[in-house]
Amino acid sequence: MEQLTDEQLIGQVRQGNMDAFAALVDRHKNGVFQFIRCRVEVRETAEDLAQEVFLKLYRHLSDFRGEARFSTWLYGLTLNTVRDHLRMKKRRPVTTVLDTLKGWFTDSREEPEAEAMRSEERRTVNGILAGLPLKYREVLYLCHYRQMALSEIALLLQIPVKTAETRLYRGKQLLKEQWLEVDQREDSASQRRASRTVPEAKADS
């Protein structure tokens, strides 16, 4: 089912095809999880919220009218779920979990994208991103990781397009500035280590 579009999969789900729903979840689960992680620090809580998002998706898929891209609609659902969680200050327990969802969520660290992020540079960039203010972090994530257009980001976050553009620009500037600071610190540390390993020159006799 990998060759089918989201809309085609949705059509099959509405006809009762649970394999199509599994394919839809598999396609979007990592992106949804990573977006939640932009706003929720605790990994286990993010995993719980991701499962809640897909439970809501299953129950409310009939609400999708195709007026926007499915991914935009799904991220709107995700954003509302996270906002509800943050407003409540604690996790609302999910008492009903569909058995068909079991096994669809694997450790995101096993995903190809997550494997690529094991490199030192990726870890550094993600560490910097995690420290940025949320309003910059979420726009950077949606633009560069999910490749959403600014108009889609503005619609999702309910902000003017100009505001989204400004946050993206400022976020990039902060990311660049902090990257340069980290790079300079690493260079200085490397130079200090190198100087300690250089043998002292012997005085001429």
Side-chain angles (χ1 to χ4, degrees), residues 63-184:
D63 295 338
F64 175 65
R65 303 299 183 190
E67 297 172 353
R69 284 199 308 172
F70 171 72
S71 58
T72 302
W73 184 83
L74 176 59
Y75 279 95
L77 179 65
T78 303
L79 185 61
N80 288 335
T81 301
V82 174
R83 283 175 173 170
D84 287 345
H85 161 76
L86 295 176
R87 277 195 295 265
M88 292 169 63
K89 300 297 183 183
K90 63 180 180 179
R91 176 75 177 93
R92 184 175 72 246
V94 178
T95 56
T96 304
V97 179
L98 297 176
D99 290 338
T100 50
L101 282 176
K102 293 180 180 178
W104 293 355
F105 285 89
T106 58
D107 190 335
S108 294
R109 288 170 294 187
E110 297 176 359
E111 294 293 322
E113 181 181 351
E115 289 178 1
M117 291 171 63
R118 289 176 184 169
S119 67
E120 191 63 35
E121 276 194 0
R122 289 278 185 165
R123 285 196 295 269
T124 300
V125 169
N126 280 279
I128 294 172
L129 276 174
L132 294 181
L134 175 61
K135 63 182 180 179
Y136 303 130
R137 189 167 69 239
E138 60 187 5
V139 172
L140 282 168
Y141 174 80
L142 292 170
C143 180
H144 293 289
Y145 284 80
R146 306 317 308 167
Q147 297 183 340
M148 283 189 176
L150 282 172
S151 57
E152 292 179 300
I153 295 172
L155 179 64
L156 174 61
L157 299 180
Q158 298 179 344
I159 57 176
V161 174
K162 188 64 177 178
T163 300
E165 183 179 356
T166 300
R167 290 181 183 180
L168 179 62
Y169 174 78
R170 182 56 181 154
K172 286 180 178 180
Q173 289 297 108
L174 289 172
L175 184 62
K176 180 180 178 181
E177 291 169 6
Q178 294 189 31
W179 170 265
L180 290 175
E181 289 178 6
V182 170
D183 196 43
Q184 289 171 358

Side-chain angles (χ1 to χ4, degrees), residues 54-72:
F54 285 105
L55 285 170
K56 287 181 177 179
L57 174 65
Y58 181 77
R59 294 166 181 155
H60 301 290
L61 195 57
S62 59
D63 295 338
F64 175 65
R65 303 299 183 190
E67 297 172 353
R69 284 199 308 172
F70 171 72
S71 58
T72 302

Side-chain angles (χ1 to χ4, degrees), residues 1-37:
M1 293 189 178
E2 293 182 0
Q3 69 276 17
L4 298 180
T5 66
D6 288 341
E7 289 73 18
Q8 289 171 329
L9 288 173
I10 291 169
Q12 293 194 14
V13 174
R14 287 171 173 168
Q15 295 174 11
N17 187 339
M18 291 304 297
D19 287 338
F21 185 63
L24 198 64
V25 172
D26 190 63
R27 180 177 295 175
H28 292 283
K29 65 183 179 183
N30 192 53
V32 166
F33 173 78
Q34 295 297 341
F35 181 55
I36 294 172
R37 282 283 279 162

